[in-house]
Amino acid sequence: MSNVTAVQVPDIGDFDTVEVIEILVKVGDTVKAEQSLITVESDKASMEIPTSIGGVVKSIEVKVGDKVKQGSVMLHVEASAAASAPAPAAAPAVAAPAPAPAPATAAPAAVSAPAPVASTPVIATPQTAAPAAGKLEMPVSTAGMAHASPSVRKFARELGVDLSLVTGTGPKNRILQEDVQGFVKLALSGGAGASAGSASGASIGGLELLPWPKIDFTKFGEVTPKPLSRIKKISGANLHRNWVMIPHVTNNDEANITELEALRVTLNKENEKSGIKVTMLAFLIKACVAALKKFPEFNASLDGDQLILKQYFHIGFAADTPNGLVVPVIRDADKKGILELANESTELAKKARDGKLSPAEMQGGCFSISSLGGIGGTHFTPIINAPELAILGVSRSYMKPVWDGKAFVPQLTLPLSLSYDHRVIDGASAARFNAYLGSLLADFRRIAL
Ligand code: CAO
């Protein structure tokens, strides 16, 4: 008996419409209940939508690029008794644009219901699969994370490919199955800057490395294992890729901020009632924007053989949180004044510490600042936040005696450590950028020039 059923998009949480980015079945396929049919994507995550009935696919009603919402018919399925039995472990997953694998916990599939049917998507974050039926919970995102659908993630996992090392050629740089295949081919021919399998040793950029030491530490004393936080896992994978793939060089310089700090203190006294604290970070953001304008190759990203020069100035800053490092981004910093920059960075830093930053608030950065000045240190080597080309590390200011020709005078001195991607930026350009930045901080009136 023919029993053709329209299979609809189920409740997809907070989203009105989402875009179809993949069709996972074709006409004539036999699908089981809870098998994924299509992948959809919002601006924050991708999600596979399953069918809750099994049968033979008679027609597909959507195509890649279509916008769908709850109730949209995805396809028609001719139900068959055998195929409509619930699959034992098919857990559809929302994938964060993150490199960590999503171990999908089996969720009991819904028993097939009369047509039209809408199955319930289940969400998996990079760490856990949450069977939170019908509620789309957005996972944490950080700049530069891999962007791929759950099926491509699964494919990559099966091949042992670290998606953070794969360049996506799909819309919005999404990683496609072909990209993973291309990466594996390149790795096998010894050309990829990555390993396709790392458990027993790694081949990075052709380097044969020893396997990571496996040691039973309990032989030496008592130990307590502590799993890395989700943010640490995500940022760690990004930092690792950036450190390995970008030839970093750090230019160290210093700025005389005696007058700037005096101005900051005065402004804070005057502004005491406003509640807005003028921070050194706000001055640094402003000065970096001016330097990026003067040296546009720093406000760019590398895309194959060409530079993408950006005409906007979105500045990220590293924020230390109880769960690890995140980089909120201040958009259009060139259009904001010092008070606004101070206010916004303070608010974003608070949101970061409270774990409330949205993925959008961590995207689109052109250049980053990592300020450890409030903590300590003299100089350090910050790791570039790819695909940016440079990052400024700021250490603790200190009073330095400087000879003025007649006597030693005290000078409040700020250490500046500029790490840059040497594939694009020459040492001389970096030295000029850092020296220019120092001159702006030494005499902030120059910003107006
Ligand atoms: N030298 C000396 N003192 C400094 C300073 C500097 N460069 N920068 C800030 N300070 C002082 C401030 O004067 C302030 O002192 P008071 O409390 O006495 O006024 C104190 O440090 C706090 O400063 P602030 O409120 O301006 O905050 P901040 O700019 O230091 O920090 C933020 C903001 C978000 C950058 C910080 O909280 C943070 O997370 N820093 C860590 C970043 C990080 O982890 N980087 C490493 C990443 S790996 O590359």
Side-chain angles (χ1 to χ4, degrees), residues 256 258 399-402 408-413:
N256 174 1
T258 315
M399 203 55 88
K400 176 176 169 178
V402 176
F408 281 104
V409 289
Q411 177 179 296
L412 188 61
T413 302

Side-chain angles (χ1 to χ4, degrees), residues 300-313:
S301 283
L302 195 53
D303 181 17
D305 284 343
Q306 63 174 349
L307 266 191
I308 308 294
L309 295 162
K310 295 162 194 171
Q311 308 305 325
Y312 52 85
F313 298 87

